[in-house]
PDB file of all heavy atoms in Angstrom:
ATOM      1  N   LEU A   1     117.746  88.298 139.241  1.00 98.00           N
ATOM      2  CA  LEU A   1     116.868  89.264 138.576  1.00 98.00           C
ATOM      3  C   LEU A   1     115.473  88.692 138.384  1.00 98.00           C
ATOM      4  O   LEU A   1     114.468  89.334 138.724  1.00 98.00           O
ATOM      5  CB  LEU A   1     117.452  89.661 137.221  1.00 98.00           C
ATOM      6  CG  LEU A   1     116.520  90.487 136.317  1.00 98.00           C
ATOM      7  CD1 LEU A   1     116.337  91.890 136.865  1.00 98.00           C
ATOM      8  CD2 LEU A   1     117.046  90.530 134.894  1.00 98.00           C
ATOM      9  N   LEU A   2     115.387  87.483 137.851  1.00 98.00           N
ATOM     10  CA  LEU A   2     114.091  86.913 137.513  1.00 98.00           C
ATOM     11  C   LEU A   2     113.251  86.605 138.744  1.00 98.00           C
ATOM     12  O   LEU A   2     112.025  86.497 138.646  1.00 98.00           O
ATOM     13  CB  LEU A   2     114.273  85.655 136.660  1.00 98.00           C
ATOM     14  CG  LEU A   2     114.896  85.888 135.272  1.00 98.00           C
ATOM     15  CD1 LEU A   2     114.983  84.585 134.497  1.00 98.00           C
ATOM     16  CD2 LEU A   2     114.107  86.922 134.483  1.00 98.00           C
ATOM     17  N   SER A   3     113.889  86.495 139.898  1.00 98.00           N
ATOM     18  CA  SER A   3     113.130  86.298 141.130  1.00 98.00           C
ATOM     19  C   SER A   3     112.569  87.612 141.668  1.00 98.00           C
ATOM     20  O   SER A   3     111.728  87.602 142.577  1.00 98.00           O
ATOM     21  CB  SER A   3     114.016  85.638 142.195  1.00 98.00           C
ATOM     22  OG  SER A   3     115.017  86.535 142.655  1.00 98.00           O
ATOM     23  N   ALA A   4     113.032  88.742 141.099  1.00 98.00           N
ATOM     24  CA  ALA A   4     112.647  90.052 141.635  1.00 98.00           C
ATOM     25  C   ALA A   4     111.677  90.829 140.751  1.00 98.00           C
ATOM     26  O   ALA A   4     111.144  91.854 141.165  1.00 98.00           O
ATOM     27  CB  ALA A   4     113.909  90.902 141.856  1.00 98.00           C
ATOM     28  N   ILE A   5     111.446  90.351 139.526  1.00 98.00           N
ATOM     29  CA  ILE A   5     110.644  91.148 138.591  1.00 98.00           C
ATOM     30  C   ILE A   5     109.144  90.937 138.801  1.00 98.00           C
ATOM     31  O   ILE A   5     108.707  89.937 139.362  1.00 98.00           O
ATOM     32  CB  ILE A   5     111.015  90.836 137.125  1.00 98.00           C
ATOM     33  CG1 ILE A   5     110.721  89.362 136.788  1.00 98.00           C
ATOM     34  CG2 ILE A   5     112.468  91.186 136.861  1.00 98.00           C
ATOM     35  CD1 ILE A   5     110.948  89.013 135.332  1.00 98.00           C
ATOM     36  N   SER A   6     108.376  91.914 138.323  1.00 98.00           N
ATOM     37  CA  SER A   6     106.906  91.863 138.367  1.00 98.00           C
ATOM     38  C   SER A   6     106.381  92.391 137.031  1.00 98.00           C
ATOM     39  O   SER A   6     106.066  93.576 136.903  1.00 98.00           O
ATOM     40  CB  SER A   6     106.376  92.721 139.512  1.00 98.00           C
ATOM     41  OG  SER A   6     106.887  92.295 140.756  1.00 98.00           O
ATOM     42  N   PRO A   7     106.269  91.523 136.010  1.00 98.00           N
ATOM     43  CA  PRO A   7     105.897  91.991 134.666  1.00 98.00           C
ATOM     44  C   PRO A   7     104.448  92.468 134.596  1.00 98.00           C
ATOM     45  O   PRO A   7     103.525  91.760 134.989  1.00 98.00           O
ATOM     46  CB  PRO A   7     106.107  90.746 133.787  1.00 98.00           C
ATOM     47  CG  PRO A   7     106.873  89.773 134.621  1.00 98.00           C
ATOM     48  CD  PRO A   7     106.530  90.073 136.031  1.00 98.00           C
ATOM     49  N   LEU A   8     104.271  93.665 134.087  1.00 98.00           N
ATOM     50  CA  LEU A   8     102.945  94.241 133.879  1.00 98.00           C
ATOM     51  C   LEU A   8     102.915  94.960 132.533  1.00 98.00           C
ATOM     52  O   LEU A   8     103.938  95.493 132.085  1.00 98.00           O
ATOM     53  CB  LEU A   8     102.590  95.249 134.977  1.00 98.00           C
ATOM     54  CG  LEU A   8     102.267  94.721 136.374  1.00 98.00           C
ATOM     55  CD1 LEU A   8     102.143  95.900 137.339  1.00 98.00           C
ATOM     56  CD2 LEU A   8     100.981  93.910 136.365  1.00 98.00           C
ATOM     57  N   CYS A   9     101.758  94.991 131.912  1.00 98.00           N
ATOM     58  CA  CYS A   9     101.571  95.703 130.652  1.00 98.00           C
ATOM     59  C   CYS A   9     100.167  96.300 130.632  1.00 98.00           C
ATOM     60  O   CYS A   9      99.221  95.687 131.132  1.00 98.00           O
ATOM     61  CB  CYS A   9     101.753  94.742 129.481  1.00 98.00           C
ATOM     62  SG  CYS A   9     101.196  95.387 127.878  1.00 98.00           S
ATOM     63  N   CYS A  10     100.038  97.476 130.076  1.00 98.00           N
ATOM     64  CA  CYS A  10      98.714  98.023 129.817  1.00 98.00           C
ATOM     65  C   CYS A  10      98.678  98.552 128.386  1.00 98.00           C
ATOM     66  O   CYS A  10      99.700  98.918 127.816  1.00 98.00           O
ATOM     67  CB  CYS A  10      98.323  99.106 130.818  1.00 98.00           C
ATOM     68  SG  CYS A  10      99.301 100.618 130.785  1.00 98.00           S
ATOM     69  N   TYR A  11      97.478  98.558 127.811  1.00 98.00           N
ATOM     70  CA  TYR A  11      97.351  98.973 126.421  1.00 98.00           C
ATOM     71  C   TYR A  11      95.941  99.484 126.163  1.00 98.00           C
ATOM     72  O   TYR A  11      95.006  99.192 126.910  1.00 98.00           O
ATOM     73  CB  TYR A  11      97.684  97.824 125.475  1.00 98.00           C
ATOM     74  CG  TYR A  11      96.737  96.653 125.557  1.00 98.00           C
ATOM     75  CD1 TYR A  11      95.694  96.505 124.643  1.00 98.00           C
ATOM     76  CD2 TYR A  11      96.871  95.687 126.547  1.00 98.00           C
ATOM     77  CE1 TYR A  11      94.824  95.427 124.709  1.00 98.00           C
ATOM     78  CE2 TYR A  11      96.004  94.608 126.625  1.00 98.00           C
ATOM     79  CZ  TYR A  11      94.987  94.481 125.703  1.00 98.00           C
ATOM     80  OH  TYR A  11      94.119  93.421 125.784  1.00 98.00           O
ATOM     81  N   ALA A  12      95.804 100.245 125.091  1.00 97.00           N
ATOM     82  CA  ALA A  12      94.501 100.772 124.683  1.00 97.00           C
ATOM     83  C   ALA A  12      94.477 100.907 123.172  1.00 97.00           C
ATOM     84  O   ALA A  12      95.488 101.252 122.547  1.00 97.00           O
ATOM     85  CB  ALA A  12      94.237 102.125 125.335  1.00 97.00           C
ATOM     86  N   TYR A  13      93.323 100.635 122.586  1.00 97.00           N
ATOM     87  CA  TYR A  13      93.168 100.741 121.137  1.00 97.00           C
ATOM     88  C   TYR A  13      92.700 102.149 120.765  1.00 97.00           C
ATOM     89  O   TYR A  13      91.857 102.742 121.430  1.00 97.00           O
ATOM     90  CB  TYR A  13      92.148  99.721 120.620  1.00 97.00           C
ATOM     91  CG  TYR A  13      91.920  99.814 119.126  1.00 97.00           C
ATOM     92  CD1 TYR A  13      92.793  99.203 118.239  1.00 97.00           C
ATOM     93  CD2 TYR A  13      90.848 100.550 118.618  1.00 97.00           C
ATOM     94  CE1 TYR A  13      92.600  99.297 116.871  1.00 97.00           C
ATOM     95  CE2 TYR A  13      90.650 100.646 117.250  1.00 97.00           C
ATOM     96  CZ  TYR A  13      91.528 100.025 116.381  1.00 97.00           C
ATOM     97  OH  TYR A  13      91.337 100.135 115.028  1.00 97.00           O
ATOM     98  N   SER A  14      93.246 102.658 119.668  1.00 96.00           N
ATOM     99  CA  SER A  14      92.815 103.957 119.143  1.00 96.00           C
ATOM    100  C   SER A  14      92.773 103.894 117.624  1.00 96.00           C
ATOM    101  O   SER A  14      93.587 103.194 117.003  1.00 96.00           O
ATOM    102  CB  SER A  14      93.784 105.057 119.573  1.00 96.00           C
ATOM    103  OG  SER A  14      93.474 106.291 118.938  1.00 96.00           O
ATOM    104  N   GLU A  15      91.841 104.596 117.025  1.00 95.00           N
ATOM    105  CA  GLU A  15      91.847 104.744 115.576  1.00 95.00           C
ATOM    106  C   GLU A  15      93.035 105.610 115.164  1.00 95.00           C
ATOM    107  O   GLU A  15      93.527 106.431 115.943  1.00 95.00           O
ATOM    108  CB  GLU A  15      90.535 105.372 115.092  1.00 95.00           C
ATOM    109  CG  GLU A  15      89.325 104.484 115.313  1.00 95.00           C
ATOM    110  CD  GLU A  15      88.046 105.094 114.754  1.00 95.00           C
ATOM    111  OE1 GLU A  15      88.084 106.271 114.329  1.00 95.00           O
ATOM    112  OE2 GLU A  15      87.025 104.388 114.748  1.00 95.00           O
ATOM    113  N   VAL A  16      93.483 105.399 113.931  1.00 96.00           N
ATOM    114  CA  VAL A  16      94.614 106.152 113.392  1.00 96.00           C
ATOM    115  C   VAL A  16      94.149 106.955 112.187  1.00 96.00           C
ATOM    116  O   VAL A  16      93.391 106.451 111.350  1.00 96.00           O
ATOM    117  CB  VAL A  16      95.758 105.201 112.977  1.00 96.00           C
ATOM    118  CG1 VAL A  16      96.818 105.939 112.164  1.00 96.00           C
ATOM    119  CG2 VAL A  16      96.388 104.566 114.204  1.00 96.00           C
ATOM    120  N   SER A  17      94.594 108.199 112.101  1.00 96.00           N
ATOM    121  CA  SER A  17      94.304 109.019 110.922  1.00 96.00           C
ATOM    122  C   SER A  17      95.554 109.784 110.525  1.00 96.00           C
ATOM    123  O   SER A  17      96.485 109.956 111.316  1.00 96.00           O
ATOM    124  CB  SER A  17      93.151 109.988 111.205  1.00 96.00           C
ATOM    125  OG  SER A  17      93.484 110.901 112.241  1.00 96.00           O
ATOM    126  N   PHE A  18      95.567 110.238 109.275  1.00 96.00           N
ATOM    127  CA  PHE A  18      96.722 110.939 108.715  1.00 96.00           C
ATOM    128  C   PHE A  18      96.242 112.280 108.163  1.00 96.00           C
ATOM    129  O   PHE A  18      95.905 112.378 106.976  1.00 96.00           O
ATOM    130  CB  PHE A  18      97.376 110.100 107.620  1.00 96.00           C
ATOM    131  CG  PHE A  18      97.834 108.744 108.095  1.00 96.00           C
ATOM    132  CD1 PHE A  18      96.968 107.659 108.106  1.00 96.00           C
ATOM    133  CD2 PHE A  18      99.131 108.557 108.542  1.00 96.00           C
ATOM    134  CE1 PHE A  18      97.382 106.412 108.540  1.00 96.00           C
ATOM    135  CE2 PHE A  18      99.562 107.309 108.983  1.00 96.00           C
ATOM    136  CZ  PHE A  18      98.682 106.233 108.991  1.00 96.00           C
ATOM    137  N   PRO A  19      96.191 113.320 109.005  1.00 95.00           N
ATOM    138  CA  PRO A  19      95.652 114.617 108.585  1.00 95.00           C
ATOM    139  C   PRO A  19      96.377 115.231 107.398  1.00 95.00           C
ATOM    140  O   PRO A  19      95.761 115.879 106.552  1.00 95.00           O
ATOM    141  CB  PRO A  19      95.811 115.489 109.838  1.00 95.00           C
ATOM    142  CG  PRO A  19      95.899 114.515 110.966  1.00 95.00           C
ATOM    143  CD  PRO A  19      96.604 113.322 110.413  1.00 95.00           C
ATOM    144  N   CYS A  20      97.685 115.031 107.321  1.00 95.00           N
ATOM    145  CA  CYS A  20      98.471 115.527 106.193  1.00 95.00           C
ATOM    146  C   CYS A  20      99.797 114.774 106.176  1.00 95.00           C
ATOM    147  O   CYS A  20     100.100 113.988 107.078  1.00 95.00           O
ATOM    148  CB  CYS A  20      98.696 117.041 106.287  1.00 95.00           C
ATOM    149  SG  CYS A  20      99.534 117.584 107.791  1.00 95.00           S
ATOM    150  N   GLU A  21     100.582 115.021 105.149  1.00 94.00           N
ATOM    151  CA  GLU A  21     101.843 114.305 104.992  1.00 94.00           C
ATOM    152  C   GLU A  21     102.754 114.545 106.196  1.00 94.00           C
ATOM    153  O   GLU A  21     102.962 115.678 106.630  1.00 94.00           O
ATOM    154  CB  GLU A  21     102.561 114.755 103.725  1.00 94.00           C
ATOM    155  CG  GLU A  21     103.824 113.971 103.434  1.00 94.00           C
ATOM    156  CD  GLU A  21     104.483 114.390 102.140  1.00 94.00           C
ATOM    157  OE1 GLU A  21     103.901 115.204 101.402  1.00 94.00           O
ATOM    158  OE2 GLU A  21     105.589 113.895 101.863  1.00 94.00           O
ATOM    159  N   GLY A  22     103.276 113.467 106.734  1.00 95.00           N
ATOM    160  CA  GLY A  22     104.204 113.580 107.852  1.00 95.00           C
ATOM    161  C   GLY A  22     103.544 113.803 109.193  1.00 95.00           C
ATOM    162  O   GLY A  22     104.235 114.034 110.190  1.00 95.00           O
ATOM    163  N   VAL A  23     102.220 113.719 109.233  1.00 97.00           N
ATOM    164  CA  VAL A  23     101.475 113.926 110.486  1.00 97.00           C
ATOM    165  C   VAL A  23     100.524 112.759 110.681  1.00 97.00           C
ATOM    166  O   VAL A  23      99.858 112.315 109.750  1.00 97.00           O
ATOM    167  CB  VAL A  23     100.673 115.251 110.465  1.00 97.00           C
ATOM    168  CG1 VAL A  23      99.845 115.400 111.739  1.00 97.00           C
ATOM    169  CG2 VAL A  23     101.625 116.439 110.301  1.00 97.00           C
ATOM    170  N   VAL A  24     100.468 112.243 111.919  1.00 97.00           N
ATOM    171  CA  VAL A  24      99.585 111.123 112.232  1.00 97.00           C
ATOM    172  C   VAL A  24      98.924 111.378 113.581  1.00 97.00           C
ATOM    173  O   VAL A  24      99.522 111.971 114.480  1.00 97.00           O
ATOM    174  CB  VAL A  24     100.373 109.792 112.247  1.00 97.00           C
ATOM    175  CG1 VAL A  24     101.496 109.814 113.270  1.00 97.00           C
ATOM    176  CG2 VAL A  24      99.457 108.608 112.495  1.00 97.00           C
ATOM    177  N   ASP A  25      97.666 110.954 113.689  1.00 97.00           N
ATOM    178  CA  ASP A  25      96.928 111.068 114.952  1.00 97.00           C
ATOM    179  C   ASP A  25      96.685 109.654 115.465  1.00 97.00           C
ATOM    180  O   ASP A  25      96.033 108.847 114.803  1.00 97.00           O
ATOM    181  CB  ASP A  25      95.598 111.785 114.726  1.00 97.00           C
ATOM    182  CG  ASP A  25      94.895 112.148 116.031  1.00 97.00           C
ATOM    183  OD1 ASP A  25      95.066 111.397 117.015  1.00 97.00           O
ATOM    184  OD2 ASP A  25      94.167 113.150 116.058  1.00 97.00           O
ATOM    185  N   ILE A  26      97.204 109.339 116.645  1.00 95.00           N
ATOM    186  CA  ILE A  26      97.051 107.992 117.214  1.00 95.00           C
ATOM    187  C   ILE A  26      96.236 108.018 118.510  1.00 95.00           C
ATOM    188  O   ILE A  26      96.347 107.118 119.335  1.00 95.00           O
ATOM    189  CB  ILE A  26      98.418 107.320 117.462  1.00 95.00           C
ATOM    190  CG1 ILE A  26      99.297 108.181 118.377  1.00 95.00           C
ATOM    191  CG2 ILE A  26      99.111 107.025 116.155  1.00 95.00           C
ATOM    192  CD1 ILE A  26     100.595 107.503 118.799  1.00 95.00           C
ATOM    193  N   GLY A  27      95.437 109.070 118.680  1.00 91.00           N
ATOM    194  CA  GLY A  27      94.544 109.091 119.825  1.00 91.00           C
ATOM    195  C   GLY A  27      94.832 110.149 120.856  1.00 91.00           C
ATOM    196  O   GLY A  27      94.008 110.416 121.729  1.00 91.00           O
ATOM    197  N   PHE A  28      96.006 110.768 120.792  1.00 89.00           N
ATOM    198  CA  PHE A  28      96.256 111.861 121.749  1.00 89.00           C
ATOM    199  C   PHE A  28      96.700 113.142 121.044  1.00 89.00           C
ATOM    200  O   PHE A  28      97.498 113.910 121.545  1.00 89.00           O
ATOM    201  CB  PHE A  28      97.263 111.462 122.835  1.00 89.00           C
ATOM    202  CG  PHE A  28      98.548 110.799 122.374  1.00 89.00           C
ATOM    203  CD1 PHE A  28      99.464 111.460 121.579  1.00 89.00           C
ATOM    204  CD2 PHE A  28      98.839 109.517 122.801  1.00 89.00           C
ATOM    205  CE1 PHE A  28     100.648 110.865 121.201  1.00 89.00           C
ATOM    206  CE2 PHE A  28     100.034 108.903 122.433  1.00 89.00           C
ATOM    207  CZ  PHE A  28     100.941 109.574 121.640  1.00 89.00           C
ATOM    208  N   GLY A  29      96.166 113.344 119.847  1.00 87.00           N
ATOM    209  CA  GLY A  29      96.460 114.558 119.112  1.00 87.00           C
ATOM    210  C   GLY A  29      97.375 114.298 117.935  1.00 87.00           C
ATOM    211  O   GLY A  29      97.909 113.198 117.763  1.00 87.00           O
ATOM    212  N   GLU A  30      97.531 115.299 117.098  1.00 93.00           N
ATOM    213  CA  GLU A  30      98.344 115.160 115.902  1.00 93.00           C
ATOM    214  C   GLU A  30      99.837 115.173 116.250  1.00 93.00           C
ATOM    215  O   GLU A  30     100.299 115.998 117.028  1.00 93.00           O
ATOM    216  CB  GLU A  30      98.021 116.286 114.920  1.00 93.00           C
ATOM    217  CG  GLU A  30      96.589 116.222 114.406  1.00 93.00           C
ATOM    218  CD  GLU A  30      96.266 117.303 113.398  1.00 93.00           C
ATOM    219  OE1 GLU A  30      97.174 118.135 113.101  1.00 93.00           O
ATOM    220  OE2 GLU A  30      95.134 117.337 112.908  1.00 93.00           O
ATOM    221  N   ILE A  31     100.562 114.223 115.648  1.00 96.00           N
ATOM    222  CA  ILE A  31     101.990 114.075 115.895  1.00 96.00           C
ATOM    223  C   ILE A  31     102.737 114.342 114.602  1.00 96.00           C
ATOM    224  O   ILE A  31     102.476 113.687 113.584  1.00 96.00           O
ATOM    225  CB  ILE A  31     102.319 112.653 116.386  1.00 96.00           C
ATOM    226  CG1 ILE A  31     101.621 112.368 117.709  1.00 96.00           C
ATOM    227  CG2 ILE A  31     103.828 112.458 116.523  1.00 96.00           C
ATOM    228  CD1 ILE A  31     101.713 110.914 118.130  1.00 96.00           C
ATOM    229  N   GLU A  32     103.648 115.281 114.634  1.00 96.00           N
ATOM    230  CA  GLU A  32     104.483 115.552 113.469  1.00 96.00           C
ATOM    231  C   GLU A  32     105.676 114.601 113.502  1.00 96.00           C
ATOM    232  O   GLU A  32     106.619 114.783 114.255  1.00 96.00           O
ATOM    233  CB  GLU A  32     104.951 117.009 113.480  1.00 96.00           C
ATOM    234  CG  GLU A  32     103.826 118.017 113.305  1.00 96.00           C
ATOM    235  CD  GLU A  32     104.345 119.439 113.183  1.00 96.00           C
ATOM    236  OE1 GLU A  32     105.573 119.602 112.988  1.00 96.00           O
ATOM    237  OE2 GLU A  32     103.537 120.371 113.298  1.00 96.00           O
ATOM    238  N   SER A  33     105.612 113.554 112.705  1.00 97.00           N
ATOM    239  CA  SER A  33     106.684 112.563 112.648  1.00 97.00           C
ATOM    240  C   SER A  33     106.587 111.808 111.337  1.00 97.00           C
ATOM    241  O   SER A  33     105.687 110.983 111.149  1.00 97.00           O
ATOM    242  CB  SER A  33     106.597 111.588 113.831  1.00 97.00           C
ATOM    243  OG  SER A  33     107.492 110.508 113.636  1.00 97.00           O
ATOM    244  N   ARG A  34     107.511 112.067 110.445  1.00 96.00           N
ATOM    245  CA  ARG A  34     107.526 111.346 109.168  1.00 96.00           C
ATOM    246  C   ARG A  34     107.843 109.865 109.383  1.00 96.00           C
ATOM    247  O   ARG A  34     107.317 108.999 108.685  1.00 96.00           O
ATOM    248  CB  ARG A  34     108.536 111.987 108.215  1.00 96.00           C
ATOM    249  CG  ARG A  34     108.106 113.378 107.738  1.00 96.00           C
ATOM    250  CD  ARG A  34     109.046 113.936 106.688  1.00 96.00           C
ATOM    251  NE  ARG A  34     108.576 115.235 106.227  1.00 96.00           N
ATOM    252  CZ  ARG A  34     107.663 115.411 105.281  1.00 96.00           C
ATOM    253  NH1 ARG A  34     107.132 114.343 104.687  1.00 96.00           N
ATOM    254  NH2 ARG A  34     107.271 116.617 104.921  1.00 96.00           N
ATOM    255  N   ASP A  35     108.705 109.574 110.361  1.00 95.00           N
ATOM    256  CA  ASP A  35     109.081 108.189 110.608  1.00 95.00           C
ATOM    257  C   ASP A  35     107.897 107.380 111.128  1.00 95.00           C
ATOM    258  O   ASP A  35     107.645 106.262 110.668  1.00 95.00           O
ATOM    259  CB  ASP A  35     110.246 108.118 111.595  1.00 95.00           C
ATOM    260  CG  ASP A  35     111.529 108.689 111.029  1.00 95.00           C
ATOM    261  OD1 ASP A  35     111.736 108.567 109.808  1.00 95.00           O
ATOM    262  OD2 ASP A  35     112.328 109.257 111.797  1.00 95.00           O
ATOM    263  N   LEU A  36     107.166 107.927 112.090  1.00 96.00           N
ATOM    264  CA  LEU A  36     106.000 107.215 112.625  1.00 96.00           C
ATOM    265  C   LEU A  36     104.907 107.118 111.567  1.00 96.00           C
ATOM    266  O   LEU A  36     104.267 106.071 111.424  1.00 96.00           O
ATOM    267  CB  LEU A  36     105.471 107.916 113.877  1.00 96.00           C
ATOM    268  CG  LEU A  36     104.265 107.253 114.545  1.00 96.00           C
ATOM    269  CD1 LEU A  36     104.600 105.841 115.005  1.00 96.00           C
ATOM    270  CD2 LEU A  36     103.763 108.096 115.722  1.00 96.00           C
ATOM    271  N   SER A  37     104.678 108.195 110.821  1.00 95.00           N
ATOM    272  CA  SER A  37     103.670 108.175 109.761  1.00 95.00           C
ATOM    273  C   SER A  37     103.977 107.086 108.734  1.00 95.00           C
ATOM    274  O   SER A  37     103.089 106.344 108.297  1.00 95.00           O
ATOM    275  CB  SER A  37     103.596 109.536 109.068  1.00 95.00           C
ATOM    276  OG  SER A  37     103.179 110.543 109.961  1.00 95.00           O
ATOM    277  N   SER A  38     105.236 106.990 108.345  1.00 93.00           N
ATOM    278  CA  SER A  38     105.641 105.981 107.373  1.00 93.00           C
ATOM    279  C   SER A  38     105.459 104.578 107.945  1.00 93.00           C
ATOM    280  O   SER A  38     104.991 103.674 107.253  1.00 93.00           O
ATOM    281  CB  SER A  38     107.104 106.209 106.975  1.00 93.00           C
ATOM    282  OG  SER A  38     107.561 105.191 106.119  1.00 93.00           O
ATOM    283  N   HIS A  39     105.811 104.405 109.202  1.00 93.00           N
ATOM    284  CA  HIS A  39     105.703 103.090 109.835  1.00 93.00           C
ATOM    285  C   HIS A  39     104.246 102.636 109.934  1.00 93.00           C
ATOM    286  O   HIS A  39     103.950 101.447 109.798  1.00 93.00           O
ATOM    287  CB  HIS A  39     106.323 103.140 111.230  1.00 93.00           C
ATOM    288  CG  HIS A  39     106.431 101.801 111.892  1.00 93.00           C
ATOM    289  ND1 HIS A  39     107.305 100.840 111.467  1.00 93.00           N
ATOM    290  CD2 HIS A  39     105.753 101.266 112.931  1.00 93.00           C
ATOM    291  CE1 HIS A  39     107.180  99.754 112.224  1.00 93.00           C
ATOM    292  NE2 HIS A  39     106.235  99.990 113.121  1.00 93.00           N
ATOM    293  N   LEU A  40     103.335 103.582 110.150  1.00 95.00           N
ATOM    294  CA  LEU A  40     101.914 103.248 110.325  1.00 95.00           C
ATOM    295  C   LEU A  40     101.115 103.336 109.023  1.00 95.00           C
ATOM    296  O   LEU A  40      99.889 103.176 109.044  1.00 95.00           O
ATOM    297  CB  LEU A  40     101.287 104.187 111.365  1.00 95.00           C
ATOM    298  CG  LEU A  40     101.821 104.077 112.796  1.00 95.00           C
ATOM    299  CD1 LEU A  40     101.123 105.088 113.696  1.00 95.00           C
ATOM    300  CD2 LEU A  40     101.655 102.667 113.339  1.00 95.00           C
ATOM    301  N   LYS A  41     101.782 103.571 107.906  1.00 93.00           N
ATOM    302  CA  LYS A  41     101.085 103.695 106.634  1.00 93.00           C
ATOM    303  C   LYS A  41     100.203 102.467 106.381  1.00 93.00           C
ATOM    304  O   LYS A  41     100.636 101.325 106.489  1.00 93.00           O
ATOM    305  CB  LYS A  41     102.096 103.845 105.501  1.00 93.00           C
ATOM    306  CG  LYS A  41     101.456 104.061 104.136  1.00 93.00           C
ATOM    307  CD  LYS A  41     102.519 104.242 103.061  1.00 93.00           C
ATOM    308  CE  LYS A  41     101.892 104.446 101.687  1.00 93.00           C
ATOM    309  NZ  LYS A  41     102.941 104.606 100.638  1.00 93.00           N
ATOM    310  N   GLY A  42      98.940 102.711 106.062  1.00 92.00           N
ATOM    311  CA  GLY A  42      98.005 101.627 105.788  1.00 92.00           C
ATOM    312  C   GLY A  42      97.295 101.088 107.009  1.00 92.00           C
ATOM    313  O   GLY A  42      96.406 100.237 106.888  1.00 92.00           O
ATOM    314  N   CYS A  43      97.660 101.566 108.195  1.00 94.00           N
ATOM    315  CA  CYS A  43      97.011 101.101 109.423  1.00 94.00           C
ATOM    316  C   CYS A  43      95.722 101.891 109.672  1.00 94.00           C
ATOM    317  O   CYS A  43      95.685 103.101 109.474  1.00 94.00           O
ATOM    318  CB  CYS A  43      97.933 101.278 110.625  1.00 94.00           C
ATOM    319  SG  CYS A  43      99.410 100.245 110.587  1.00 94.00           S
ATOM    320  N   HIS A  44      94.683 101.197 110.123  1.00 94.00           N
ATOM    321  CA  HIS A  44      93.442 101.876 110.473  1.00 94.00           C
ATOM    322  C   HIS A  44      93.329 102.128 111.973  1.00 94.00           C
ATOM    323  O   HIS A  44      92.473 102.878 112.431  1.00 94.00           O
ATOM    324  CB  HIS A  44      92.231 101.052 110.024  1.00 94.00           C
ATOM    325  CG  HIS A  44      92.182  99.673 110.625  1.00 94.00           C
ATOM    326  ND1 HIS A  44      91.869  99.440 111.943  1.00 94.00           N
ATOM    327  CD2 HIS A  44      92.423  98.456 110.072  1.00 94.00           C
ATOM    328  CE1 HIS A  44      91.899  98.137 112.189  1.00 94.00           C
ATOM    329  NE2 HIS A  44      92.240  97.521 111.061  1.00 94.00           N
ATOM    330  N   GLY A  45      94.202 101.483 112.741  1.00 95.00           N
ATOM    331  CA  GLY A  45      94.173 101.648 114.192  1.00 95.00           C
ATOM    332  C   GLY A  45      95.536 101.343 114.776  1.00 95.00           C
ATOM    333  O   GLY A  45      96.481 100.970 114.068  1.00 95.00           O
TER     334      GLY A  45
END
């Protein structure tokens, strides 16, 4: 397996906002997710 893999990663930074309870915007529109909102609580990006 390890002789066959080609590890790659890409990433991008986005600001984070919380338009209302249970909703978070991470750069591609508002997401209705209480779990993600809770996980990102206090994050600015």
Side-chain angles (χ1 to χ4, degrees):
L1 170 71
L2 295 182
S3 70
I5 62 175
S6 301
L8 288 172
C9 167
C10 65
Y11 64 98
Y13 178 82
S14 173
E15 294 183 352
V16 169
S17 62
F18 302 86
C20 58
E21 185 177 354
V23 177
V24 59
D25 190 329
I26 57 173
F28 48 64
E30 296 182 359
I31 298 170
E32 294 186 13
S33 170
R34 291 186 178 276
D35 293 327
L36 181 61
S37 297
S38 175
H39 188 70
L40 295 179
K41 183 178 179 181
C43 294
H44 59 73

